[in-house]
Amino acid sequence: MKIVIQPQGTLAIYEQIVNQLKNAIVTGELSAGEALPSIRALAGDLNVSVITTKRAYEDLEKEGLIRSVPGKGFYVCEYNTDYLMEKQLVMLEKRLAEIIGDAKQAGLSAEDIKEMVEALYDAGI
């Protein structure tokens, strides 16, 4: 699994890590029982602080998506993909509502927003 960090993104780096790992779990790219990179290894691979990766893993552990095995590392837990997908959709709807609100304040119409979304989607963003 490859995690891509966007330094100028709107989300904090640890949130980007959390979201991408959640997505990998939902899509089956990461399966239950699979080992994750160590906190230090992930931090080194992504060229970010160990504190950042530690926070991401802590958040995932609090949500019950991964578990820590002392002396061995972190592993993907058994999970309910429907529940996880629903949580992701709720989060996306909230973010999208904020963006639509900003777009309306900027005077954009629904058609302008649709065109912008389609252009960005087609560009692979």
Side-chain angles (χ1 to χ4, degrees):
M1 129 143 237
K2 181 164 174 59
I3 296 176
V4 178
I5 300 298
Q6 296 176 342
Q8 283 73 31
T10 57
L11 293 176
I13 292 172
Y14 84 92
E15 290 174 310
Q16 293 179 49
I17 295 168
V18 167
N19 289 342
Q20 290 180 55
L21 286 172
K22 281 182 185 179
N23 187 54
I25 292 169
V26 167
T27 62
E29 187 177 350
L30 291 175
S31 56
E34 188 170 340
L36 297 174
S38 72
I39 290 171
R40 290 186 191 281
L42 184 59
D45 289 346
L46 300 177
N47 202 23
V48 299
S49 163
V50 169
I51 295 169
T52 300
T53 54
K54 184 175 188 284
R55 181 165 181 195
Y57 276 17
E58 286 172 349
D59 283 6
L60 290 165
E61 194 168 22
K62 283 178 190 171
E63 289 190 48
L65 297 174
I66 67 171
R67 63 186 167 84
S68 173
V69 177
K72 296 201 180 242
F74 289 88
Y75 295 85
V76 177
C77 293
E78 292 289 330
Y79 47 83
N80 180 337
T81 54
D82 291 337
Y83 173 72
L84 185 56
M85 181 64 103
E86 184 63 27
K87 282 182 72 172
Q88 284 187 311
L89 289 174
V90 168
M91 181 193 69
L92 289 170
E93 286 173 357
K94 180 182 175 188
R95 288 177 42 207
L96 189 54
E98 291 172 4
I99 291 168
I100 290 171
D102 291 345
K104 283 181 176 181
Q105 284 182 342
L108 296 175
S109 69
E111 190 59 36
D112 293 335
I113 296 168
K114 287 177 192 175
E115 287 176 12
M116 188 180 299
V117 169
E118 287 174 358
L120 290 171
Y121 189 85
D122 291 344
I125 294 176

